[in-house]
Amino acid sequence: MDDRLGLPQGAFTKIDAEDDELFYEPPRLVCHIDDGAITALTEFYRVALPAGGVLLDLMSSWVSHLPPEIGYAEVIGHGMNAAELAANPRLTRWFVQNLNRDTKLPLADTTVDGAMVCVSIQYLQQPVAVLRDVARVLRPGAPLVISFSNRCFWTKAVAIWRALDDSGHARLVELYLRHAGFERIETHQLAEWVEDIDDPMTAVVGRAPAM
């Protein structure tokens, strides 16, 4: 068992055990969720993330799904492919880092007003360590929005994610957030799944702990 989370041994193994850098080397300038899920997520960001604040878009790509009419002081992007991040017009600055190898973010303590992880939490092999460091860089009470659908790169998703359904994914993300020290954790169903028609979209939100 994983003593920290109570998960089975091997919960964070992947089918494709090769270095992540190899898998993410080719740019993928595509959307990994459909238009309905994107619209629902953008609407949620509109109310959940602080306008005018500094945001961290963790595990980002060439799109951030932020509301186009809202300005932010800064949007810091992180990802695995430089070309994708360079193509994202919402990012003020960005950095490339393999979080499965190095969980420490190159950001100062309590400097970020909100953070998001969009359809990527399933790839983290040390999720609690990463989220604890996200909590470090967030200001007290700042939100972290972790969103996911039912799509993923199957061979790169961890075993525990592959073993669960959508409701199980929500409970798993809630578990991650609790163990990382986040507070006021809430799960929101943003879009319902209609097979072969509409993608589901779920957001789990936690607040950085008070100092």
Side-chain angles (χ1 to χ4, degrees), residues 124-180:
L124 288 179
Q125 293 179 286
Q126 301 180 74
V128 172
V130 171
L131 296 182
R132 280 180 181 149
D133 210 53
V134 175
R136 175 186 65 80
V137 305
L138 286 172
R139 302 186 200 279
L144 167 60
V145 179
I146 300 177
S147 60
F148 54 88
S149 186
N150 61 354
R151 300 194 198 185
C152 68
F153 296 124
W154 189 254
T155 62
K156 282 297 184 181
V158 297
I160 189 64
W161 191 270
R162 301 195 311 270
L164 296 171
D165 60 10
D166 288 347
S167 61
H169 293 155
R171 292 192 297 273
L172 181 66
V173 174
E174 291 170 0
L175 180 69
Y176 291 168
L177 287 168
R178 283 198 302 274
H179 278 259

Side-chain angles (χ1 to χ4, degrees), residues 23-69:
F23 182 81
Y24 293 105
E25 183 177 10
R28 295 177 173 89
L29 302 180
V30 298
C31 289
H32 301 289
I33 47 178
D34 68 13
D35 289 345
I38 291 171
T39 298
L41 181 60
T42 299
E43 182 61 30
F44 189 73
Y45 281 167
R46 187 173 280 116
V47 297
L49 296 173
V54 175
L55 301 185
L56 172 60
D57 189 2
L58 203 67
M59 306 178 78
S60 185
S61 180
W62 67 288
V63 288
S64 291
H65 306 309
L66 291 167
E69 79 283 2

Side-chain angles (χ1 to χ4, degrees), residues 58-114:
L58 203 67
M59 306 178 78
S60 185
S61 180
W62 67 288
V63 288
S64 291
H65 306 309
L66 291 167
E69 79 283 2
I70 295 181
Y72 302 94
E74 190 175 20
V75 181
I76 306 165
H78 155 269
M80 287 289 290
N81 185 282
E84 292 178 6
L85 297 171
N88 187 333
R90 293 309 301 264
L91 301 182
T92 310
R93 58 187 171 102
W94 51 266
F95 61 99
V96 173
Q97 182 175 323
N98 184 347
L99 295 176
N100 287 332
R101 182 177 299 124
D102 179 6
T103 63
K104 180 76 170 179
L105 299 170
L107 301 171
D109 296 357
T110 61
T111 54
V112 174
D113 299 299

Side-chain angles (χ1 to χ4, degrees), residues 193-198:
W193 181 51
V194 181
E195 189 171 2
D196 298 328
I197 298 176
D198 294 321

